[in-house]
Amino acid sequence: GPPPRGGERREPNPLFLDHAAAISELYVALKTGLPEGFRLTRFEREAEAREAFRGYDGKDHAVAPDAAIQVTDPDRQNLFGLVELDLGTMSTRQLKSKAEGYGEYARLDGWRQGYPFCPALLFLTTSEKRARSFLSTCEKAIDRHRMLVAACGLARDIGSALTEPAWLGGEDESGDLIAVLRAARRPFDLPREQEEA
């Protein structure tokens, strides 16, 4: 926010600064560290990535991922992901609330306003144990046939999170980021492939 007039700005919260730095690190890693032929073609932070949709209750709801990403593959196909980055500070209740919000977003096709298919939900956190806990929470809240959810415990090593087969969930027990993003696109491509065949 704007600094107050005639005075010093308060010191920012260190947790906020750590999170903001990690989001910036994610951007740099995606811009410079994707496999050859893949390009980051869109990166939106929380304010721009926020997506509103109408809930079952008739009211407006929204998901606000920490980042929305678009990666274009060598065949010029777009891959989409909604990133939630946790540095070990989110409570169980916050994680459950986020999962429930994404569950409703997927159930009500809230993604249709901005995407040709439902983006993968990518939960990047600090440990494999925490990643598995989030996946367990998501199993109850998100229909896996509607939204692919994957989690990775390498938030403190984001460069490795892009290339290592450390993402849990999805169709396989683990895979790298590109495999997860491609798996989220598969339901969109399958009918077209069948029609072509």
Side-chain angles (χ1 to χ4, degrees):
R5 291 179 184 220
E8 291 296 316
R9 183 186 296 223
R10 279 188 344 185
E11 190 71 27
N13 182 320
L15 297 176
F16 170 80
L17 290 177
D18 285 349
H19 190 265
I23 295 293
S24 296
E25 184 181 349
L26 174 65
Y27 171 77
V28 171
L30 286 165
K31 202 71 175 161
T32 62
L34 288 172
E36 189 173 336
F38 290 85
R39 294 179 301 118
L40 178 68
T41 47
R42 187 173 104 196
F43 186 95
E44 296 175 340
R45 288 178 176 257
E46 184 175 356
E48 298 88 29
R50 185 179 188 278
E51 286 190 75
F53 63 96
R54 191 160 302 272
Y56 285 124
D57 56 8
K59 296 178 182 173
D60 287 336
H61 295 260
V63 293
D66 291 319
I69 63 170
Q70 175 180 316
V71 173
T72 303
D73 74 9
D75 297 324
R76 295 188 179 160
Q77 294 182 323
N78 292 320
L79 309 171
F80 303 101
L82 304 177
V83 182
E84 287 291 346
L85 195 145
D86 166 52
L87 296 177
T89 58
M90 270 196 248
S91 69
T92 304
R93 187 171 17 176
Q94 287 173 307
L95 294 175
K96 184 176 182 238
S97 176
K98 280 192 178 284
E100 288 170 350
Y102 282 109
E104 191 170 19
Y105 171 77
R107 249 187 331 279
L108 295 172
D109 294 339
W111 51 268
R112 287 195 186 272
Q113 295 175 54
Y115 301 96
F117 56 90
C118 188
L121 175 56
L122 307 169
F123 183 69
L124 188 54
T125 190
T126 53
S127 70
E128 183 177 325
K129 180 180 177 185
R130 202 160 166 82
R132 288 191 185 280
S133 176
F134 181 72
L135 288 174
S136 177
T137 301
C138 287
E139 282 176 18
K140 300 173 188 118
I142 301 173
D143 180 347
R144 65 185 175 102
H145 298 293
R146 291 186 170 271
M147 180 178 234
L148 187 144
V149 181
C152 175
L154 294 174
R156 300 283 184 200
D157 186 5
I158 291 175
S160 294
L162 300 189
T163 56
E164 298 290 319
W167 288 89
L168 308 170
E171 292 185 353
D172 305 313
E173 176 58 20
S174 65
D176 65 17
L177 178 64
I178 296 298
V180 171
L181 294 175
R182 281 189 160 154
R185 186 186 165 97
R186 197 165 297 126
F188 173 73
D189 287 334
L190 198 56
R192 295 188 315 151
E193 290 169 4
Q194 291 171 340
E195 192 176 297
E196 287 173 11

